[in-house]
Amino acid sequence: MLKIWSNERPWIISALLAIALAGLIFGHWWIAATVVLSGYIIWLYYRLHRLQKWVARGTKASEVYEDEGFIGTIIRPLYHQKKTYNKRKKRTKDILRRLHRNISALPDATVLMNDQLEIEWSNEPAKYLLGIDHRKDLGQRIGNLIRHPNFLRYLITPDSKKNIEIHSPMDSKISLHVKIVRFGRNQRLLTARNNSDQKQLQEGLKNFVANASHELKTPLTVISGYLEMLENDPEISEMGRKSVQAAYGQAERMKNLIRDLLLLSKVESYQLQTDEGDEVVIQEIMSNTMTAVNQTCNSGNIVCEIPQDLSILGIKSEIEGICINLVQNAIKYAGLEKPIKIKWKKNKEGEAVFSVKDQGPGIAADEIPLITERYYRGKQLTSGEPVMGSGLGLAIVKQASSKHGATLDIQSTVDKGSSFTVTFPSYRVIKSTQPSRRNVVDIRAAG
Ligand code: ADP
């Protein structure tokens, strides 16, 4: 306040001197005072008007002017603030321009959305991968431009999955790997990568494995047939028989591996529709399962509980694949010294639940998420000889389950045992005309 008046003081003193001088010369003090003060007020008004105009135009640094009086004390800090603001704005603009240039150069489509899922920014690849044009589509809701149901679901709950795969809305031959993350105030950042090449490579590899396995199947069956014949030949020496037995064992292992590879490639080929599949009678597939693992239900430590009238809609070989692999693993890893419980049931929700429980060595907690990956073999917790395997069994179980819309749950405690549960949705359960009788049925290994 003091500074304001000290700056204006020379003008006030000059005005008072002018009044005094005019009063002395003309002898009319009141008229002199009125004229000089009116002039001062008009001049003050003009300066205030100029200040108001400068402020209204945004205190532009280029239009700043000097005022020696108290108005100068208002102009100067405003001018400095504006200069600092301009510098910051320029720096932020430079950073944004560089960021924009860098993100635009990325081969991945990138889209920023606000909390209303409206597009706020997108780069050039978003145009040819997702059909989002940053010149036209800003402010549009992304759900109106990309209408893929999986994408819409993922957009609303991006935390439910790590990423999804969809076909590009611009070209259905392009497969996109889409990832959405939340940031700031419920805004979303979307990135989409073209992974068609990788997909093609994977497909090629899968086809090669499937074809090679198919080609190997027939000669191997012939070889193991001859080896089986030789093994039973009464004229063969004891040494020779042992060698033939070893060769037969290895041929059988290869046959199993090929069977698993073929089944896996078949299971992965497509997703079942909810009403797709044949009637699979659980009694029948469990009978085949026990034959495949060379065991008998309810003899020794294998306890089975299988309802007589349970049937589900699905692909028989694949449901059998689930059963064989889970039962085989329980026998392989837990052995037959302690009970293995095999059970099928229909739960309250009308779902069909298949479970295999053993009291074997269990699986370490950090390995549980990995054991369903193909070719993954766990640390062998069994004492003694390492257990043979290909690491494909649980991959088949997982793929076949998800193909049928079923879920796979694995519970395990080291040294206590493991429990594998596959739950088939109620729409897969075929309604039986007879009342459900959940009786324990003996299924004997055929042959
Ligand atoms: P493989 O049995 O050929 O190794 P799988 O995919 O069937 O392949 O199983 C993957 C891994 O999961 C196994 O290597 C094993 O470590 C673990 N595993 C599966 N079933 C059991 C089980 N019942 N008890 C303990 N470990 C198991």
Side-chain angles (χ1 to χ4, degrees):
M1 197 66 178
L2 262 175
K3 194 159 190 288
I4 289 177
W5 291 116
S6 68
N7 279 359
E8 196 64 10
R9 198 185 302 143
W11 303 111
I12 295 170
I13 291 172
S14 306
L16 290 175
L17 282 175
I19 293 169
L21 207 63
L24 277 176
I25 295 171
F26 301 109
H28 297 288
W29 289 92
W30 281 112
I31 295 172
T34 310
V35 169
V36 172
L37 282 179
S38 303
Y40 178 69
I41 288 168
I42 291 168
W43 182 62
L44 204 60
Y45 178 78
Y46 163 73
R47 284 159 66 204
L48 278 171
H49 178 67
R50 209 175 157 197
L51 173 69
Q52 186 269 332
K53 262 171 58 186
W54 181 63
V55 171
R57 277 206 298 268
T59 60
K60 282 188 188 152
S62 56
E63 289 177 13
V64 71
Y65 61 94
E66 198 46 63
D67 186 295
E68 297 297 338
F70 81 95
I71 286 183
T73 58
I74 301 171
I75 293 173
R76 260 165 256 128
L78 282 177
Y79 169 71
H80 287 301
Q81 267 176 23
K82 186 72 183 184
K83 272 195 106 172
T84 323
Y85 168 78
N86 282 352
K87 254 191 225 159
R88 272 202 210 129
K89 196 168 139 189
K90 189 172 172 306
R91 215 169 39 215
T92 318
K93 253 188 176 168
D94 284 349
I95 294 173
L96 273 176
R97 205 173 299 129
R98 247 178 293 143
L99 197 72
H100 179 82
R101 215 180 304 134
N102 291 348
I103 301 180
S104 291
L106 287 176
D108 298 348
T110 312
V111 183
L112 289 181
M113 286 162 269
N114 62 17
D115 55 347
Q116 300 299 310
L117 304 178
E118 289 160 351
I119 300 163
E120 286 193 325
W121 183 90
S122 68
N123 64 355
E124 199 56 27
K127 195 167 149 190
Y128 56 83
L129 288 179
L130 297 168
I132 295 172
D133 187 339
H134 60 87
R135 278 171 288 261
K136 280 192 331 223
D137 296 329
L138 292 194
Q140 286 252 42
R141 282 175 74 94
I142 195 164
N144 295 341
L145 302 174
I146 306 171
R147 309 198 61 87
H148 199 290
N150 278 356
F151 175 79
L152 295 176
R153 234 172 286 133
Y154 182 46
L155 181 67
I156 292 165
T157 50
D159 316 305
S160 62
K161 281 181 189 158
K162 275 195 191 150
N163 50 58
I164 56 161
E165 277 191 19
I166 58 167
H167 290 293
S168 161
M170 302 305 285
D171 180 352
S172 60
K173 280 191 234 97
I174 298 178
S175 159
L176 295 177
H177 184 93
V178 177
K179 189 169 178 62
I180 301 178
V181 286
R182 287 184 207 264
F183 74 99
R185 286 195 209 117
N186 207 15
Q187 286 149 287
R188 287 172 177 60
L189 167 70
L190 175 153
T191 52
R193 171 170 298 174
N194 180 351
N195 70 342
S196 309
D197 291 348
Q198 220 181 343
K199 259 225 124 116
Q200 246 171 18
L201 204 73
Q202 271 176 7
E203 278 305 311
L205 207 67
K206 260 191 223 164
N207 287 344
F208 168 75
V209 171
N211 290 341
S213 311
H214 192 75
E215 292 302 322
L216 283 170
K217 201 176 153 187
T218 319
L220 252 179
T221 313
V222 175
I223 292 171
S224 72
Y226 279 125
L227 287 172
E228 201 176 357
M229 255 167 56
L230 263 178
E231 197 188 346
N232 300 324
D233 188 342
E235 284 174 24
I236 196 168
S237 68
E238 202 44 43
M239 258 289 275
R241 192 181 313 281
K242 275 201 180 130
S243 310
V244 169
Q245 271 169 352
Y248 179 69
Q250 294 304 320
E252 282 302 298
R253 260 191 72 197
M254 279 181 78
K255 257 170 71 184
N256 288 344
L257 178 62
I258 285 167
R259 184 203 60 206
D260 286 352
L261 282 169
L262 280 173
L263 185 56
L264 191 60
S265 66
K266 227 173 81 189
V267 168
E268 283 180 334
S269 58
Y270 71 104
Q271 195 74 32
L272 278 189
Q273 297 295 320
T274 50
D275 58 351
E276 202 178 344
D278 301 319
E279 177 170 357
V280 179
V281 180
I282 297 304
Q283 281 271 333
E284 204 182 307
I285 57 157
M286 285 316 291
S287 167
N288 296 346
T289 300
M290 299 321 283
T291 307
V293 298
N294 278 326
Q295 294 299 327
T296 311
C297 261
N298 302 318
S299 87
N301 273 327
I302 299 193
V303 183
C304 302
E305 197 177 313
I306 300 145
Q308 267 182 347
D309 54 355
L310 187 60
S311 296
I312 57 177
L313 188 70
I315 297 177
K316 191 175 168 213
S317 61
E318 295 179 12
I319 296 173
E320 217 166 82
I322 295 176
C323 301
I324 294 176
N325 278 299
L326 291 183
V327 174
Q328 207 163 42
N329 276 354
I331 297 169
K332 218 162 63 171
Y333 295 102
L336 290 164
E337 284 81 44
K338 288 191 184 153
I340 292 174
K341 289 189 184 151
I342 302 166
K343 186 172 174 180
W344 272 96
K345 67 168 185 180
K346 205 163 120 181
N347 68 11
K348 274 195 262 105
E349 286 76 33
E351 298 161 325
V353 185
F354 171 57
S355 61
V356 180
K357 285 187 189 145
D358 66 54
Q359 296 177 23
I363 305 156
D366 57 338
E367 275 202 306
I368 294 180
L370 305 173
I371 55 173
T372 50
E373 298 292 323
R374 79 175 83 160
Y375 306 118
Y376 184 88
R377 301 218 61 221
K379 285 176 224 125
Q380 303 287 299
L381 297 175
T382 38
S383 49
E385 289 283 294
V387 182
M388 293 294 186
S390 59
L392 289 174
L394 291 180
I396 292 174
V397 173
K398 187 179 158 193
Q399 286 294 336
S401 303
S402 88
K403 184 168 173 179
H404 284 79
T407 55
L408 167 67
D409 176 56
I410 305 171
Q411 301 290 331
S412 190
T413 313
V414 172
D415 290 335
K416 292 237 163 71
S418 312
S419 157
F420 293 81
T421 310
V422 181
T423 308
F424 290 86
S426 55
Y427 63 77
R428 291 241 156 255
V429 179
I430 295 176
K431 303 255 174 327
S432 144
T433 42
Q434 296 162 21
S436 171
R437 280 177 292 146
R438 201 179 297 149
N439 33 7
V440 179
V441 175
D442 228 14
I443 299 171
R444 306 214 168 265

